[in-house]
Every structure is written in C-alpha cells, then in structure tokens.
Amino acid sequence: MKVSIYTLSLLSCILFLSSCKKEIVSEDIYGVWMMQEQTTTEGPQFTKLLLDKEDYNWIDPIVSDTIFFYKKVAVSGDTLLLTDGFNHSTLCIIEELHDSVLTLSHVAGFDKEITYKKVLDYNEGPYMLEEVKASDFSKDSLDVIVKSFLVWDYYQNNEDARTYHSLTKAEMLQARELLRQYMTDGSLEKDQFSNEDAYPLDHYIRQYESYVENGHLYVRVTLNTGIYMERCCGYTVLKRDVYSVKDGGPSHAQATIDLTTKKVVDFITNGYA
C-alpha cells in the first residue's frame, strides 16, 4: 500500500503534538514555590506561592505588608483555580508542572509566563519548624503590619463592638514611638501589671493590627522575642496571622495603644505555665 508524503507528514505532526501534550499531576501543585525571574507589572508580584492541600494557601508578593489568602486551591486540567476568603476566584493556566518546576500564564497583571522553583514539598511529610529570634532580623524589619484576611475575619465575626481598621505605615510608626516612650520613661514600671521584667522594645518582633471602637483608633501590638516558623516560609509567617503564645513569660507580650488619645492603654507580659 502506498502512503503519500502528505499523509506521512500529517501522521508525524499528530505524533509530535501528542508527545508535546502537557501532562499535569494535580498533586504536584502543593508546596512552596519561589519565582525565578522578577518581572515588572502593575498587578501584585506573585513572588512566593504557599499551596497546601490540608491548610490555607497564600501568595506573598514579599514587598510591603500585602499578602493574598486563598481557602482553596484546585487543578482542573491545565487550569489553576484559587478561591479567596470572599469566594472570589482567580484563574491562570499551568504551562508546565512537574517535580520542581511550575510555569503559569494568563496571570492577572502579567504579560508573560512566570516560572517557579519548588523549594519545599508538602507531600514529603511534616515540614520542619525552626526558631527565629528578633536578633536574627535587622532593626528595620522587626515591625510587621498584619493585614491578612484572617485578621479582618476575626474582627468581622468575633468583635461586635470593634471594627477592623487597615493600619497605615504612618499610624504604625506613631504607635511604635508611643510604645517606645512608654517602655523607657518609667511608665511601664508604674502600671498595674508586673511588667518590670519586660525586655527592651528592640528585643521583640512586633506585629501590629488595628481596630476602631467607640470612635477611638486602637493599635494592638503582639511582641515576641522569638517565634517558630516553617522552614522556607520565613517572613511570610509574620504577615499571615498574629503569632500568639499563652505562656513563656516576658519573652512574649501584648500592648494596646489608643492613637486617638495618644496613650498606651495596656502592656502585659505573659505568665509562666
């Protein structure tokens, strides 16, 4: 039987396309991914992806206090579907997904494909925790404004008299200086709590959240001399949620500042278990 050159060319083309077909294993999506090439875009920089099958999912643009929360991640064919806390969906196309490489296209704000390298695989079992102390950070990195969906949701559903406020950097700096003055001018030793054993302010990692109550703007500061964070997740942990510890003595503390009256309302170090 004779086969025309046209038929052979067509068969070769079909075989080539079949061999190039994207093979995507949805389970490979879970892990911590780092962008391999910085891009310029007006949209958010999807620099670090933390995608976990059993827990919350995050996209961290690294710069500033912005972090994106997703309660669900799913892979359908070659489409990556991210669903946020308000049930809004974000879609992008998976061009490549295997072992340690993820390439996405059609990402909002980007005009080209983005390639990531997997730096931690959640499927390999429990991921390691490591202790990070305030002394491990530079002094200008100790202040973290926590604006994630989890903080907003807490005030929305648990604090009837309080309304969540998105704290600005200028407000954070004002609150920090009021707290620093309170801890150095003798006020701390004179308050109604036993806080004499508190460490100096710069010995703490400081996370800030804010709310409005009875017309007053309050800033709540959570202070920790050290925290345990997931390896490879790093500073992202501090942006996701407030790191709360119930004991541990003066290594952990909380303060509340009334920015309306420019006064520290309270400062309380933890007790011991």
Side-chain angles (χ1 to χ4, degrees), residues 254-270:
Q254 277 205 342
T256 304
I257 300 103
D258 184 339
L259 278 190
T260 302
T261 61
K262 296 180 174 53
K263 291 176 60 177
V264 175
V265 177
D266 60 56
F267 183 101
I268 307 174
T269 57
N270 279 17

Side-chain angles (χ1 to χ4, degrees), residues 7 22 24 38 41-42 49-50 60 63 74 79 82 88 90 119-120 144 149 155 159 162 166 171 180 253:
T7 303
K22 289 187 286 186
I24 295 173
Q38 294 297 319
T41 174
E42 294 181 357
L49 316 180
L50 296 95
D60 188 354
V63 180
T79 301
L82 298 165
H88 298 151
T90 297
V119 294
L120 180 65
V144 184
F149 174 85
Y155 285 98
E159 297 285 354
R162 298 173 179 176
S166 182
E171 291 166 341
R180 188 183 299 279

Side-chain angles (χ1 to χ4, degrees), residues 82-131:
L82 298 165
T83 305
D84 67 16
F86 301 103
N87 290 318
H88 298 151
S89 296
T90 297
L91 300 173
C92 48
I93 302 300
I94 300 173
E95 299 294 343
E96 183 179 1
L97 174 60
H98 62 80
D99 296 329
S100 60
V101 176
L102 168 65
T103 301
L104 299 176
S105 66
H106 296 81
V107 180
F110 290 85
D111 56 4
K112 66 177 184 177
E113 295 180 353
I114 315 169
T115 298
Y116 298 88
K117 178 181 179 181
K118 183 179 284 188
V119 294
L120 180 65
D121 191 341
Y122 289 139
N123 291 325
E124 294 177 353
Y127 41 89
M128 299 295 293
L129 296 178
E130 56 186 359
E131 184 179 17

Side-chain angles (χ1 to χ4, degrees), residues 150-217:
L150 298 185
V151 174
W152 176 89
D153 189 58
Y154 169 79
Y155 285 98
Q156 182 75 8
N157 295 307
N158 297 286
E159 297 285 354
D160 293 338
R162 298 173 179 176
T163 303
Y164 171 75
H165 172 74
S166 182
L167 192 68
T168 67
K169 183 176 181 180
E171 291 166 341
M172 180 275 288
L173 292 173
Q174 184 181 15
R176 185 184 66 184
E177 291 312 305
L178 288 169
L179 182 57
R180 188 183 299 279
Q181 180 181 352
Y182 183 82
M183 295 178 68
T184 55
D185 67 2
S187 298
L188 186 65
E189 290 77 11
K190 298 174 183 177
D191 67 14
Q192 71 265 37
F193 304 106
S194 299
N195 292 317
E196 294 81 4
D197 54 354
Y199 294 102
L201 183 63
D202 287 333
H203 287 216
Y204 292 102
I205 298 168
R206 300 164 312 245
Q207 291 176 286
Y208 300 78
E209 55 185 303
S210 183
Y211 61 90
V212 175
E213 183 177 23
N214 296 325
H216 284 237
L217 175 60

